[in-house]
Amino acid sequence: MYYLKNNGRLEAYVAYFGISAQISVFFRLKTRISVNKNVNEKIENLRAKIRYHDGKYYVDNTPEIADYEYDQIMIELRSLESSYPQFITPDSPTQRVGGEPVSEFTSFEHRVPMLSIENTYSNEELIEFDNRIKRMLKDVDDIEYVIEHKIDGVAITLWYEDGVFTRGATRGNGIRGDDVTTNLRTVKDIPLRFLETDHIRIPPVIEIRGEIYLPNGDFQILNHGREEAGEAQFANPRNAAAGSLKLLDPQTTAKRPLRLFAYSFGYYEDCKFTNHIDCLEAIEKFGLPVNPHYKLCKNIDEAVSYCNSWETKKSDLDYQVDGMVIKVNSLELHDRLGSTSKAPRWVMSYKYHPEEATTTIKDITVQVGKTGTLTPVAELNPVPLSGTTVSRASLHNFDEIERKDIRVGDYVVVQKAGEIIPQVVKVLTEKRTGNEKQFGVPERCPACKSEVTKEEVYLKCYNPLCTAQAKRRIIYFASRNAMDIEGLGPAMIEQLVDKNVIKDYADIYSLKIDDLIPLERVGEKSAQNLIDAIEESKGRDLHCLICALGIQNIGAHAAEVLSKNFGTLGKLMDASVEELDEIFEIGEITAKSIVDFFSNSHTKDVINKLKAAGVNVNATHNEANSISDIAGKSFVITGTLNGYTRKEIEDIIKGLGGKVSSAVSGKTDFLIAGESPGSKHEKAEKLGTTILNKDGFENLINP
Ligand code: IVH
């Protein structure tokens, strides 16, 4: 600053003494300082833009720019920061994922305890809550309440100092939680710095509390991927959110699309709020998302009817709500009412009863996943529950069967965990007749009969020739996200493996028309179509093949990352754990599973067979495509686009590194909507997904 302000005087001084070398050093320094100043300004402008658009996207739900434009700003910021690392600050939007894995979390003491909430289950109990408050306060008539959804996620607290996110922790026992700052930094809903706002001065210190959750759609995608990767599934979105937040590797947390709804302040300095509703508004102004369905009710009757109105509507939401929270609006009354040791007296939750049904267990079967995990499944007498008929329930693992003492023939209560996956809640032991049969923990794999190994709570079959695993692996290999072999579905694969025609996925490429015709429901034409589809799949891009190999922890996205980084299968096979671990988005556990996979001799044989069959093992996308804004993005197509068949659109997207899915979810980046779009259009609109018409699509592919 001194140099810049006093330029004129210093120049004159240097000139007077005629020291030319010093002049040139000085002017270079001067130029560098002013260039640096410009760069820093530019960086700050880009950050401000990103924060603004984050607010529009995550808080207001009204994005002003397409994801493409947003990504361009982020790319520019990243590139400036990598050229000028001295300007990187921890609150820069680029700094969400940077943390190293930790061996354990440090403990975090809450300055203001994170209390819990008392529960009620009926309208009468709510009215009694209001009466109790009136009795305590004596001088008030009607109490104003703010009603909010009770989000079924994980409670967290976020500390902001001068508007910058500094620390975040879980609730723990209410007095102490875990410091999960690095993981929380990966949650895009959490601004690393508050939005600038004219309406309210940013306090020097403020603690914001809220609930981290995983949307239902993302929960299903996560579990589906885990099932395909042979990993244990999460029982419900809350467990998935809690598990994701407590991962020791923040890079893995970053891959879980965790979201936040903030609902109150904890400790704060130098600011004042009158009502709870003002706090919610301030939180939104700071740039954190508040659930939009909160309502200010004039009295308890209004509050009760608002709570009741959500009982059935809640199932339309894309997140789990296990009730409503009723909060006294006036903060002065909060102080007057105070708290018990467990919960404040100014708040009550109104819990919905989860829907349950009673049925009997016909049988317990065991499924073998593609990496050998054995999962017990209860085969139920079909029973209607929350809108669907439930006939199977996952029993998760064998310890769970023992813990709940579940027997074949038992009457059981089933519930949809998080209203999505049915699970057995309890056994009605009083209904036992004595004919129920205990389920023996298998010592051998039900498919190949080799001995199983116990790993933590899971049983695993490690026989590389196990037919059940082989079937799962082949089904996955041929599936849409992988080699996408049309016509090669589970039923056909079951038959081919059972008849010993194929043993592994490389054998698909030796199939002849005569192998197919004897199969059930296969005619000459469909057999030929399948042979053609198999042939066509040989040319798929490397990322499809990497995904298709079925490496533990590697789904479609990680496969793209690996394809881009290595370019050929050979290079990937030679990579060390350290090399893999260095890649952004690949954590240490994933790196290990890749190296383990390729060091297996059976894998090497299968890969040699694939190569011999002429399957492409090189990335075909060029440099320009690999950095295109399509790479890694998820597309859904609806309606017809004049001039393109559905397959052509899919091929273009895949050729540029994008993914095509069939259903719109929170993970969808673009919906390509042609003429006569279907219900997907509505869903995309609801979710705020970018919708492209033909022109939009063409602009995207030819930027
Ligand atoms: S207010 C002292 N508001 O419910 C109470 N909590 O059972 C402060 N929760 O630990 C919490 N949605 O994790 C509040 N809109 C909401 C909520 C909410 C979910 C959770 C929170 C709390 C638990 C209590």
Side-chain angles (χ1 to χ4, degrees):
M1 258 337 208
Y2 176 83
Y3 281 97
L4 291 170
K5 272 191 201 150
N6 297 285
N7 260 345
R9 230 180 328 140
L10 270 165
E11 271 168 47
Y13 173 83
V14 172
Y16 178 77
F17 287 98
I19 313 163
S20 65
Q22 288 189 7
I23 292 176
S24 98
V25 168
F26 170 71
F27 281 109
R28 253 187 285 139
L29 187 63
K30 180 186 137 191
T31 321
R32 197 174 326 136
I33 289 169
S34 71
V35 167
N36 280 356
K37 186 171 169 249
N38 288 343
V39 171
N40 203 12
E41 262 171 23
K42 176 129 212 218
I43 285 180
E44 273 308 331
N45 281 340
L46 292 169
R47 286 177 187 159
K49 259 194 201 171
I50 291 172
R51 285 182 195 120
Y52 172 80
H53 290 298
D54 279 345
K56 287 276 146 206
Y57 188 94
Y58 292 109
V59 183
D60 301 347
N61 250 324
T62 51
E64 282 178 3
I65 55 172
D67 289 3
Y68 170 75
E69 280 175 70
Y70 178 90
D71 290 347
Q72 294 307 307
I73 308 172
M74 192 63 110
I75 287 169
E76 194 180 348
L77 176 60
R78 260 188 224 293
S79 106
L80 273 175
E81 285 185 345
S82 64
S83 308
Y84 298 89
Q86 68 269 36
F87 295 136
I88 299 180
T89 55
D91 64 335
S92 170
T94 58
Q95 298 304 297
R96 288 199 176 271
V97 195
E100 291 297 312
V102 291
S103 52
E104 59 178 355
F105 296 110
T106 49
S107 170
F108 184 101
E109 190 168 334
H110 299 299
R111 180 136 180 188
V112 177
M114 289 182 80
L115 298 179
S116 63
I117 314 181
E118 255 186 81
N119 293 326
T120 56
Y121 293 91
S122 66
N123 295 353
E124 293 71 36
E125 283 176 287
L126 273 187
I127 290 164
E128 175 46 32
F129 162 66
D130 180 65
N131 284 335
R132 189 175 79 192
I133 291 177
K134 285 176 179 158
R135 279 198 302 273
M136 284 187 74
L137 296 174
K138 293 193 183 88
D139 56 336
V140 292
D141 294 330
D142 273 344
I143 313 268
E144 265 188 355
Y145 292 101
V146 178
I147 318 300
E148 296 164 19
H149 281 166
K150 187 165 192 304
I151 314 296
D152 196 8
V154 186
I156 49 107
T157 180
L158 307 165
W159 281 77
Y160 284 84
E161 288 169 39
D162 293 322
V164 174
F165 174 54
T166 50
R167 281 180 94 187
T170 58
R171 174 176 181 269
N173 61 7
I175 305 293
R176 281 178 174 281
D178 282 325
D179 184 328
V180 286
T181 311
T182 332
N183 284 348
L184 287 170
R185 290 178 74 84
T186 70
V187 177
K188 302 225 174 53
D189 278 341
I190 299 176
L192 300 181
R193 179 202 273 261
F194 283 162
L195 287 178
E196 296 295 332
T197 160
D198 299 335
H199 308 270
I200 171 165
R201 203 173 51 82
I202 290 178
V205 177
I206 194 157
E207 187 192 357
I208 298 183
R209 293 178 173 178
E211 201 84 354
I212 291 284
Y213 68 98
L214 189 69
N216 295 342
D218 292 312
F219 164 72
Q220 276 168 325
I221 293 169
L222 175 67
N223 255 357
H224 183 67
R226 289 177 72 86
E227 189 185 5
E228 298 215 308
E231 293 160 350
Q233 300 199 24
F234 289 112
N236 53 44
R238 181 182 5 93
N239 287 5
S244 305
L245 207 55
K246 297 293 279 290
L247 286 165
L248 295 173
D249 182 357
Q251 311 249 0
T252 315
T253 307
K255 286 183 215 153
R256 308 270 168 89
L258 295 175
R259 307 289 314 250
L260 168 79
F261 281 129
Y263 47 65
S264 69
F265 292 132
Y267 175 80
Y268 51 80
E269 283 173 11
D270 282 0
C271 54
K272 193 164 165 37
F273 302 97
T274 311
N275 288 315
H276 176 66
I277 204 142
D278 307 330
C279 301
L280 295 180
E281 279 161 16
I283 293 173
E284 276 186 304
K285 296 247 159 56
F286 290 146
L288 288 96
V290 169
N291 184 281
H293 300 294
Y294 67 83
K295 186 175 161 130
L296 178 64
C297 294
K298 282 204 251 11
N299 52 42
I300 193 69
D301 293 339
E302 258 188 57
V304 169
S305 67
Y306 190 61
C307 288
N308 291 332
S309 74
W310 275 100
E311 172 113 44
T312 46
K313 277 195 298 182
K314 74 181 196 309
S315 50
D316 299 336
L317 299 165
D318 191 33
Y319 51 88
Q320 297 291 306
V321 167
D322 61 344
M324 303 296 271
V325 183
I326 295 102
K327 298 176 179 174
V328 170
N329 190 27
S330 154
L331 299 189
E332 190 219 311
L333 295 188
H334 288 198
D335 288 342
R336 285 179 60 189
L337 289 163
S339 307
T340 68
S341 61
K342 290 210 182 87
R345 295 194 188 87
W346 45 264
V347 57
M348 186 56 82
S349 93
Y350 177 72
K351 295 264 253 189
Y352 297 123
H353 288 282
E355 282 185 60
E356 290 181 346
T358 302
T359 183
T360 50
I361 298 186
K362 285 196 293 188
D363 198 2
I364 293 177
T365 53
V366 179
Q367 278 186 352
V368 185
K370 87 178 177 330
T371 53
T373 309
L374 271 55
T375 308
V377 176
E379 307 288 343
L380 307 168
N381 274 315
V383 59
L385 178 62
S386 313
T388 56
T389 301
V390 171
S391 54
R392 306 184 88 199
S394 168
L395 297 173
H396 307 297
N397 57 59
F398 297 95
D399 286 2
E400 173 107 344
I401 299 185
E402 216 174 289
R403 197 171 55 80
K404 289 187 179 156
D405 188 19
I406 298 169
R407 304 180 189 180
V408 175
D410 264 338
Y411 272 88
V412 287
V413 175
V414 284
Q415 204 182 69
K416 283 203 183 166
E419 294 174 33
I420 293 169
I421 302 176
Q423 62 166 291
V424 173
V425 188
K426 64 171 179 193
V427 175
L428 299 175
T429 40
E430 66 276 15
K431 286 201 163 202
R432 278 194 176 151
T433 61
N435 292 332
E436 295 75 19
K437 286 197 192 73
Q438 273 182 324
F439 184 75
V441 177
E443 288 172 4
R444 295 183 173 274
C445 168
C448 70
K449 311 287 178 248
S450 46
E451 269 185 41
V452 291
T453 315
K454 188 153 188 189
E455 248 182 45
E456 295 170 26
V457 289
Y458 300 105
L459 288 186
K460 295 223 123 206
C461 164
Y462 280 116
N463 173 12
L465 303 174
C466 171
T467 50
Q469 289 175 56
K471 284 177 190 169
R472 288 289 194 142
R473 280 196 294 264
I474 302 169
I475 292 169
Y476 184 67
F477 183 89
S479 67
R480 286 194 96 197
N481 266 345
M483 294 301 263
D484 193 12
I485 306 177
E486 213 178 315
L488 191 58
M492 173 98 65
I493 292 168
E494 287 264 340
Q495 294 187 64
L496 287 167
V497 176
D498 287 343
K499 290 187 186 332
N500 233 343
V501 184
I502 58 173
K503 287 196 178 61
D504 56 51
Y505 44 63
D507 291 340
I508 293 174
Y509 294 99
S510 332
L511 281 173
K512 312 235 165 8
I513 208 153
D514 293 343
D515 296 322
L516 302 174
I517 300 216
L519 304 180
E520 280 165 32
R521 278 184 297 242
V522 180
E524 212 157 297
K525 181 142 194 313
S526 57
Q528 186 55 52
N529 287 347
L530 180 53
I531 295 288
D532 293 346
I534 292 172
E535 189 58 31
E536 191 211 323
S537 76
K538 288 183 185 171
R540 295 264 183 273
D541 206 343
L542 177 62
H543 66 89
C544 302
L545 177 65
I546 297 175
C547 175
L549 295 176
I551 308 168
Q552 190 146 17
N553 302 314
I554 302 292
H557 180 67
E560 275 163 27
V561 173
L562 294 170
S563 164
K564 270 182 220 155
N565 273 276
F566 292 96
T568 72
L569 187 63
K571 285 191 189 148
L572 174 62
M573 290 174 77
D574 290 342
S576 64
V577 171
E578 294 71 35
E579 258 175 275
L580 288 158
D581 194 19
E582 270 173 23
I583 300 171
F584 179 68
E585 294 196 283
I586 302 288
E588 197 188 334
I589 295 168
T590 312
K592 281 201 184 113
S593 37
I594 297 167
V595 171
D596 283 352
F597 179 84
F598 286 118
S599 57
N600 180 308
S601 65
H602 182 67
T603 305
K604 286 182 189 149
D605 293 345
V606 177
I607 287 178
N608 284 339
K609 278 203 273 180
L610 288 171
K611 283 192 201 157
V615 173
N616 170 48
V617 288
N618 299 313
T620 50
H621 53 251
N622 59 36
E623 200 49 33
N625 285 346
S626 73
I627 56 159
S628 85
D629 40 294
I630 291 185
K633 293 276 158 60
S634 162
F635 289 74
V636 172
I637 308 165
T638 182
T640 48
L641 273 202
N642 219 341
Y644 298 89
T645 64
R646 177 71 61 107
K647 177 94 180 54
E648 278 167 351
I649 302 173
E650 286 192 16
D651 286 347
I652 293 171
I653 293 169
K654 286 182 187 164
L656 292 169
K659 293 168 282 181
V660 182
S661 326
S662 52
V664 175
S665 74
K667 275 209 151 180
T668 310
D669 295 298
F670 295 100
L671 177 76
I672 300 176
E675 279 161 34
S676 349
S679 60
K680 290 176 192 169
H681 193 274
E682 266 170 47
K683 174 114 196 256
E685 266 183 332
K686 245 188 179 173
L687 290 173
T689 311
T690 308
I691 300 174
L692 300 173
N693 58 14
K694 188 179 170 205
D695 286 348
F697 173 61
E698 288 178 339
N699 286 338
L700 190 74
I701 58 176
N702 302 310

